[in-house]
């Protein structure tokens, strides 16, 4: 269906609306239209579009003011979630959200509800144990209390798939984005991921669970940090296209695709997500928190296309993303959208470096408002510095390194790119730039020391998907080692990146990526390991098929592999 048209008084239930698939939860509301809006609100909540979810629940209440579960929905959607923990709320947002949730839940207690619905309401009350937004300890304790209550409710209603999904969500949120110890494969300290996955995997044995957008969505999050993300591929495939106009759900399979080296499928999934996002913004406009999710989808296109060797696709997505992040959007104070979104702006710089467009990266302008666009300014100076270094203009590279350092110092700690601070991400850039400059100065041992530090910093970034640093530091390190004749050492670098040995945590590996396959094949050939080289050659040919540029080395920074890209 086409996106609905907004009106001054709000949408009508009979207006054309988004295609949200077929998920339905029966309630006892006497209003068919209130039921319709409730179902829409619940699907949007599962799809992490919480503002639209709240709008739908509010519409359901307009039609049935005694609808307790619609009030529960508002409280659920306005509270913390997997991508927005309490500590990510700014003070204004926190105070308003907390007060709203507590008010709606108190009203829900006096509304019309079935036994299981009352159980949902009472469980959610535990998530908001205080009316004091400064009581951090109480709010943190609320995560565990809510998870306990929902786990008990799921035990009481094991065949209610919504209850199971919501219980798994509560359990995952106890340690959101820190579910597994990525080195050992065991649950991270305090994580309740095993409880969550047990609930979800049981649900996935049922037809209702295999069609449930929340179950499928959450299972992908539960498994992506694990040592076996491929276990979630069937769930990812079930989610594809299940809720056509929910961009985030269209995107979610790509979290598993990239971990399994299927960068092409990731591009397809995120292209579908971007198309759904465009339909959403045509209705809702760009000035909302869902802009973070729209940015995330385009970020994923850039990341996947870079790994797939698709320059045009990566650059087009980077430019579309930068165009969305206007000063009007970034200037919103609550939530502080610059802190959430500005670090996405300079992805173009990473694309140009990845594909060796040195003249273009040197020509990148520093933003006029370097205060608002502080991460962008630092990234541009980094990119210019790399461009100058690779093309042998060391004095200019040194000047850009100084400018980078000054810009980096101006970035506040509050500036993030999803799970990583901009400062932590750009610490990798600083080490990379030091290494490239030292290399062009002929100080090879020093250069490799800097690049090893970049690799260590890259590996140590908190888990994120896409990874915080856009081009694996190993790709430059391996390419320059190989150029200097350290062939065996370079081969180990590529084997680690490809996940051919246990050097790296599963989530730090990049299986089948064309860049490391290129470098690894070259190493094996030079080492005389011809049988292995032949096997990698077949993989390389397949991985190169979608690339729109020749892949001559694992990094365009090498003199012997750049050709006319230098």
């Amino acid at each position: 269906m086409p996106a609905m048209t907004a009106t001054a008084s709000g949408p009508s239930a009979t207006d054309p609306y988004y295609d949200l698939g077929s998920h339905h939860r029966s309630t006892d509301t006497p209003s068919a239209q209130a039921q319709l809006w409730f179902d829409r609100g619940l699907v949007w909540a599962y799809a992490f579009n919480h503002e639209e979810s709240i709008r739908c629940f509010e519409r359901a209440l307009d039609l049935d003011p005694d609808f307790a579960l619609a009030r529960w929905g508002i409280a659920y959607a306005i509270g913390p979630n997997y991508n927005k923990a309490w500590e990510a709320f700014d003070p204004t947002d926190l105070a308003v959200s907390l007060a709203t949730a507590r008010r709606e839940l108190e009203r829900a207690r006096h509304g019309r509800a079935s036994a299981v619905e009352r159980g949902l309401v009472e469980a959610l009350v535990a998530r908001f144990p205080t009316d004091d937004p400064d009581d951090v300890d109480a709010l943190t304790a609320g995560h565990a209390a809510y998870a306990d209550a929902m786990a008990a409710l799921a035990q009481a209603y094991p065949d209610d798939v919504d209850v199971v999904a919501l219980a798994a969500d509560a359990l995952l949120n106890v340690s959101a984005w820190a579910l597994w110890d990525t080195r050992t494969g065991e649950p991270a300290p305090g994580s309740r991921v095993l409880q969550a996955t047990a609930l979800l995997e049981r649900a996935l044995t049922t037809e209702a669970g295999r069609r449930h957008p929340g179950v499928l969505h959450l299972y992908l999050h539960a498994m992506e940090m694990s040592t076996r993300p491929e276990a979630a591929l069937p769930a990812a495939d079930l989610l594809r296209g299940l809720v056509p106009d929910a961009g985030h759900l269209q995107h979610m399979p790509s979290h598993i695709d990239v971990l399994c080296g299927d960068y092409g499928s990731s591009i397809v999934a995120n292209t579908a997500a971007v198309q759904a996002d465009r339909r959403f913004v045509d209705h809702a406009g760009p000035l909302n928190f869902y802009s973070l999710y729209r940015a995330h989808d385009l970020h994923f296109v850039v990341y996947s296309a870079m790994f797939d060797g698709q320059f045009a696709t990566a650059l087009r997505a980077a430019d579309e993303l930068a165009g969305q992040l206007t000063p009007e959007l970034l200037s919103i104070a609550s939530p502080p959208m610059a802190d959430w979104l500005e670090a996405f702006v300079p992805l173009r710089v990473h694309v140009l470096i990845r594909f060796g467009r040195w003249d273009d990266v040197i020509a990148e302008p520093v933003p006029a408002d370097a205060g608002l666009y502080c991460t962008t300014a630092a990234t541009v100076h980094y990119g210019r510095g790399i461009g100058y270094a690779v093309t042998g203009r060391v004095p200019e590279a040194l000047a850009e390194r100084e400018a980078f350092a000054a810009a980096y110092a101006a970035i506040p700690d509050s500036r993030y790119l999803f799970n990583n601070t901009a400062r932590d991400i750009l610490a990798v850039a600083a080490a990379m730039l030091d290494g490239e400059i030292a290399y062009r100065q002929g100080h090879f041992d020093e250069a490799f020391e800097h690049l090893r530090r970049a690799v260590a910093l890259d590996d140590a970034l908190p888990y994120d998907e896409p990874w915080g640093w856009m081009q694996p530091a190993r790709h430059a390190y391996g390419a320059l080692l190989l150029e200097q004749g350290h062939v065996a050492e370079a081969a180990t670098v590529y084997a680690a990146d490809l996940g051919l040995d246990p050097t790296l945590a599963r989530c730090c590996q990049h299986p089948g990526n064309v860049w490391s396959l290129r470098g690894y094949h070259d190493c094996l050939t030079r080492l005389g390991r011809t049988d292995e080289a032949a096997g990698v050659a077949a993989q390389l040919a397949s991985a190169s098929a979608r690339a729109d540029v020749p892949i001559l080395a694992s990094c365009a920074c090498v003199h012997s592999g750049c050709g006319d890209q230098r």
Side-chain angles (χ1 to χ4, degrees):
M1 295 183 184
M4 69 181 185
T5 303
T7 65
S9 59
S12 163
T14 58
D15 286 341
Y17 197 67
Y18 308 100
D19 183 353
L20 298 182
S22 60
H23 184 70
H24 167 71
R25 177 179 182 81
S26 294
T27 70
D28 63 356
T29 179
S31 169
Q33 295 304 318
Q35 175 70 63
L36 175 64
W37 284 104
F38 174 83
D39 287 338
R40 290 169 172 174
L42 189 59
V43 172
W44 282 126
Y46 289 139
F48 287 6
N49 190 332
H50 298 98
E51 289 167 302
E52 186 67 17
S53 174
I54 290 167
R55 281 191 286 271
C56 292
F57 289 133
E58 288 174 339
R59 184 62 179 136
L61 280 175
D62 288 342
L63 295 160
D64 180 5
D66 200 33
F67 195 174
L69 206 57
R71 297 195 183 278
W72 164 89
I74 293 171
Y76 174 77
I78 208 168
N81 59 69
Y82 195 73
N83 288 327
K84 189 182 179 186
W86 277 130
E87 56 266 28
F89 284 64
D90 69 273
T92 299
D93 191 13
L94 175 56
V96 170
S97 298
L98 182 59
T100 300
R102 287 173 61 85
R103 181 185 69 242
E104 292 300 328
L105 288 170
E106 183 59 29
R107 291 174 177 175
R109 281 172 152 171
H110 301 289
R112 186 186 61 256
S114 67
V116 65
E117 292 168 356
R118 293 226 174 271
L120 287 169
V121 170
E122 292 305 319
L124 192 57
V125 168
R127 183 181 244 183
F128 307 98
T130 178
D131 60 2
D132 181 1
D134 295 323
D135 192 345
V136 175
D137 290 341
L139 293 175
T140 300
H143 286 308
Y146 174 53
D148 289 342
M150 283 305 306
L153 196 66
Q155 188 172 16
Y157 297 93
D159 298 323
D160 188 321
V161 187
D162 284 310
V163 170
V164 169
L166 292 164
D169 175 66
L171 290 163
L172 294 179
N173 274 291
V174 171
S175 60
W177 291 105
L179 303 178
W180 302 92
D181 182 326
T182 57
R183 297 301 309 179
T184 67
E186 297 298 319
S191 171
R192 300 177 70 171
V193 66
L194 294 182
Q195 282 181 273
T197 53
L199 287 171
L200 295 168
E201 287 173 351
R202 181 183 180 277
L204 288 168
T205 66
T206 69
E207 186 62 27
R210 289 191 293 271
R211 297 194 312 267
H212 194 284
V215 167
L216 297 169
H217 182 184
L218 293 165
Y219 191 62
L220 305 190
H221 278 308
M223 296 307 296
E224 64 182 322
M225 291 180 66
S226 76
T227 57
R228 53 186 191 98
E230 63 278 359
L233 278 171
D237 290 340
L238 289 168
L239 188 56
R240 300 180 204 274
L242 183 68
V243 187
D245 284 343
H248 188 63
L249 294 183
Q250 291 279 37
H251 141 86
M252 271 304 302
S254 65
H255 279 237
I256 305 301
D257 292 335
V258 295
L259 290 165
C260 295
D262 191 352
Y263 309 108
S265 290
S266 178
I267 294 170
V268 171
N270 284 286
T271 299
V274 169
Q275 292 169 346
D277 292 341
R278 289 171 184 156
R279 291 190 287 275
F280 180 76
V281 82
D282 284 345
H283 157 59
L287 303 181
N288 46 59
F289 193 78
Y290 189 72
S291 290
L292 174 68
Y293 290 91
R294 295 193 295 119
H296 184 51
D297 296 344
L298 283 164
H299 184 197
F300 240 101
V301 175
V302 176
Y303 183 76
S304 304
M306 287 171 64
F307 272 112
D308 224 27
Q310 296 191 40
F311 171 68
T313 298
L315 190 66
R316 184 165 55 247
D319 287 345
E320 180 176 350
L321 175 50
Q324 290 179 1
L325 303 178
T326 62
E328 183 182 17
L329 174 60
L330 298 183
S331 296
I332 294 174
S334 180
M337 298 307 287
D339 284 345
W340 283 96
L341 290 171
E342 183 267 330
F344 288 99
V345 174
L347 295 186
R348 174 186 176 87
V349 172
H350 295 287
V351 176
L352 296 174
I353 292 172
R354 169 85 278 183
F355 292 94
R357 267 45 181 190
W358 307 122
D359 290 342
D360 292 334
V361 77
I362 288 169
E364 277 294 297
V366 177
D369 187 347
L372 182 62
Y373 291 92
C374 55
T375 307
T376 304
T379 306
V380 169
H381 286 302
Y382 156 73
R384 285 176 173 180
I386 294 290
Y388 281 129
V390 173
T391 54
R393 299 160 69 178
V394 173
E396 291 94 333
L398 291 169
E400 289 294 341
R401 183 168 66 178
E402 289 187 13
F404 166 81
Y408 178 88
I411 299 172
D413 292 335
S414 59
R415 196 63 52 102
Y416 272 77
L417 185 69
F418 260 86
N419 293 336
N420 287 278
T421 70
R423 293 177 64 86
D424 284 349
I425 293 170
L426 288 175
V428 184
M432 290 290 297
L433 184 52
D434 288 343
E436 292 284 2
I437 291 174
Y439 190 86
R440 308 309 155 180
Q441 293 172 322
H443 304 152
F444 299 128
D445 289 343
E446 179 187 346
F448 292 137
E449 183 178 342
H450 289 308
L451 292 173
R452 283 191 291 272
R453 188 172 79 256
V455 167
L457 290 168
D458 189 3
D459 290 349
L461 290 172
Y463 176 84
D464 211 347
E465 206 63 82
W467 201 255
W469 184 246
M470 293 292 285
Q471 175 177 329
R474 280 181 176 78
H475 291 188
Y477 180 44
L480 296 179
L481 282 172
L482 183 56
E483 186 170 64
Q484 290 304 311
H486 303 293
V487 184
E489 186 176 356
T492 64
V493 169
Y494 295 128
D497 186 61
L498 291 164
L500 301 179
D501 64 33
T503 299
L504 295 179
R506 179 66 179 83
C507 60
C508 292
Q509 300 168 8
H510 306 107
N513 80 86
V514 66
W515 306 95
S516 278
L517 286 172
R518 171 81 270 171
Y520 194 46
H521 177 267
D522 292 348
C523 289
L524 294 175
T525 301
R526 290 174 62 174
L527 290 168
R529 294 159 61 178
T530 53
D531 290 344
E532 293 174 82
V536 173
Q539 297 177 60
L540 177 59
S542 178
S544 300
R546 290 194 183 96
D548 59 4
V549 298
I551 307 300
L552 304 175
S554 68
C555 181
C557 61
V558 298
H559 289 136
S560 59
C562 297
D564 60 7
Q565 294 178 7
R566 282 201 296 132

